[in-house]
Amino acid sequence: MDNRRRWLRALIILALAATIFWHRTGAGKINAYEARALAVMGEGSREGRELLQEIAEGRKTGVYHLQAEGDIVPNAGTEKVIGLTVSKDRGLLGVFGTEGNRQVMLACLDTLPLQEVKVVQLEAGQNAVLIRELLDERFGGYFLSSFYALYNWQGNGLQEIWRKIAGNEERWQKKWLEQGEGWQGVSEQVTTDFSRENGRLVIKTISSQTLWSAPEANGPRTNLQSRTIAHTYRWEPAWGAMVMAVGKVNQTTPFKERRGNKYIDVFNLPSGEEVAVLEDEDLLAWLKAGEPSYWRVKTRTGRVGYVLKSHVDLSLPATPR
């Protein structure tokens, strides 16, 4: 029964992803992060969580997993972090603390298949969990992508404080974007450096991106355009995130969330509102002239979404508070 459920889930994900691909219009296309969200949709199985528990307690041996230890949860000593790849498209990350002689699961996250799990220091007395995941969704139009994600303990659980593509290959038929026959794709390779400045974590990335065209999916490629971009992210505890910059909204502007291939207005940010810039969301604007370019931002109330770049005046680098 469990195997049939896993197969059903995989077929649903495949159908959803294929539907999204086939209904692409000039308004946009699915990106790697949306493909990731499709891949990890749904709750983790009880079977996977029980297996994590058995590994944490030493009752299950011979199962390949990734493990790290560190002080993740405030006032709880040292925790054990275990990453487990459950299937081709799914993984689990568990954080365990010790109560007496028992290993207690403090948090569990659905992930993609895991390639790396480690504990990194954000600043003195505060650590985070860094994972690297693999998305392998090759079915004609496909994604083959790896991601970094960084989590620290906020409130009652793990919260994402940074994410970044580590490498990305994706391709699609031009007709899905109403651009004629043949295939297009994006190749992206990212080098990532983790260092420290003034006692805080700093992450520097250099991304090389190429848009290519080909007559067939695996045919000879013609490079259409390329670019290299560098970004720096700094741990800012006042924002609870790795931050590229801090800025102020220069006019009343919609705060947007991305749903499918569209940016949807959620509410208005007033002029003068301060936001932390988390990521440069301009890949689609680079791929297609005329598309708007966005910052992915975090508000003082903790909402994460998108704001037009032209509506934010930046202070670079991010200003500490």
Side-chain angles (χ1 to χ4, degrees):
M1 186 68 172
D2 288 338
N3 286 335
R4 290 188 355 206
R5 287 177 180 170
R6 285 196 289 270
W7 274 108
L8 178 60
R9 177 180 174 277
L11 288 173
I12 291 172
I13 290 171
L14 180 61
L16 283 171
T19 300
I20 289 173
F21 272 117
W22 276 102
H23 288 84
R24 278 313 124 208
T25 68
K29 58 180 280 300
I30 193 171
N31 63 30
Y33 292 113
E34 291 164 336
R36 179 196 181 280
L38 282 173
V40 298
M41 66 183 293
E43 297 181 0
S45 69
R46 182 177 179 181
E47 175 190 3
R49 290 171 180 253
E50 289 179 348
L51 184 55
L52 278 177
Q53 186 72 45
E54 291 176 349
I55 293 172
E57 295 174 353
R59 295 187 289 115
K60 193 73 171 182
T61 60
V63 176
Y64 178 76
H65 63 279
L66 300 169
Q67 184 168 319
E69 293 187 359
D71 187 0
I72 308 299
V73 183
N75 305 319
T78 299
E79 285 76 42
K80 186 182 297 183
V81 185
I82 298 174
L84 179 67
T85 294
V86 180
S87 67
K88 169 188 168 295
D89 63 354
R90 182 168 166 266
L92 284 174
L93 183 74
V95 178
F96 293 84
T98 303
E99 289 186 5
N101 295 321
R102 298 174 55 245
Q103 290 291 314
V104 178
M105 182 180 288
L106 305 177
C108 185
L109 296 177
D110 288 290
T111 71
L112 297 173
L114 290 162
Q115 299 178 304
E116 182 179 7
V117 173
K118 64 190 299 185
V119 174
V120 298
Q121 187 182 67
L122 296 175
E123 60 181 330
Q126 190 164 12
N127 296 320
V129 179
L130 176 71
I131 65 173
R132 191 172 77 248
E133 307 166 282
L134 178 67
L135 171 67
D136 187 350
E137 295 291 349
R138 289 178 278 189
F139 48 87
Y142 76 79
F143 289 89
L144 179 60
S145 312
S146 58
F147 304 83
Y148 279 116
L150 189 63
Y151 298 89
N152 85 322
W153 196 271
Q154 297 179 15
N156 296 316
L158 290 173
Q159 297 294 324
E160 182 187 274
I161 60 173
W162 179 72
R163 68 182 186 191
K164 188 72 176 181
I165 286 174
N168 184 37
E169 290 282 343
E170 56 184 282
R171 70 185 184 199
W172 59 89
Q173 288 195 38
K174 291 181 180 180
K175 64 183 179 183
W176 296 342
L177 299 178
E178 298 180 356
Q179 294 178 350
E181 296 300 318
W183 287 76
Q184 281 187 337
V186 172
S187 297
E188 181 175 4
Q189 296 300 319
V190 182
T191 60
T192 307
D193 176 69
F194 297 84
S195 60
R196 313 190 65 76
E197 291 180 8
N198 300 320
R200 292 182 183 174
L201 179 65
V202 174
I203 304 173
K204 297 180 180 180
T205 65
I206 300 175
S207 176
S208 299
Q209 300 170 340
T210 299
L211 172 66
W212 55 264
S213 178
E216 299 175 351
N218 295 310
R221 296 181 177 184
T222 299
N223 289 346
L224 301 180
Q225 59 192 54
S226 299
R227 67 174 182 175
T228 298
I229 51 178
H231 290 309
T232 299
Y233 309 83
R234 292 178 170 84
W235 167 240
E236 295 290 343
W239 290 97
M242 300 296 298
V243 174
M244 289 177 57
V246 172
K248 287 188 178 181
V249 176
N250 57 32
Q251 59 183 283
T252 300
T253 188
F255 179 90
K256 301 173 181 287
E257 292 180 351
R258 182 149 177 155
R259 299 172 188 171
N261 67 331
K262 296 181 180 179
Y263 292 94
I264 305 298
D265 294 354
V266 181
F267 57 86
N268 284 332
L269 286 174
S271 179
E273 182 85 1
E274 191 175 39
V275 294
V277 174
L278 306 181
E279 189 56 89
D280 186 348
E281 295 281 342
D282 75 336
L283 181 60
L284 184 57
W286 178 67
L287 294 176
K288 184 178 180 183
E291 287 292 329
S293 188
Y294 294 95
W295 294 121
R296 182 170 177 261
V297 303
K298 185 175 184 178
T299 69
R300 282 294 181 189
T301 60
R303 293 291 295 270
V304 175
Y306 303 87
V307 176
L308 284 169
K309 282 187 175 182
S310 60
H311 292 180
V312 181
D313 294 330
L314 300 182
S315 170
L316 295 170
T319 53
R321 293 173 61 92

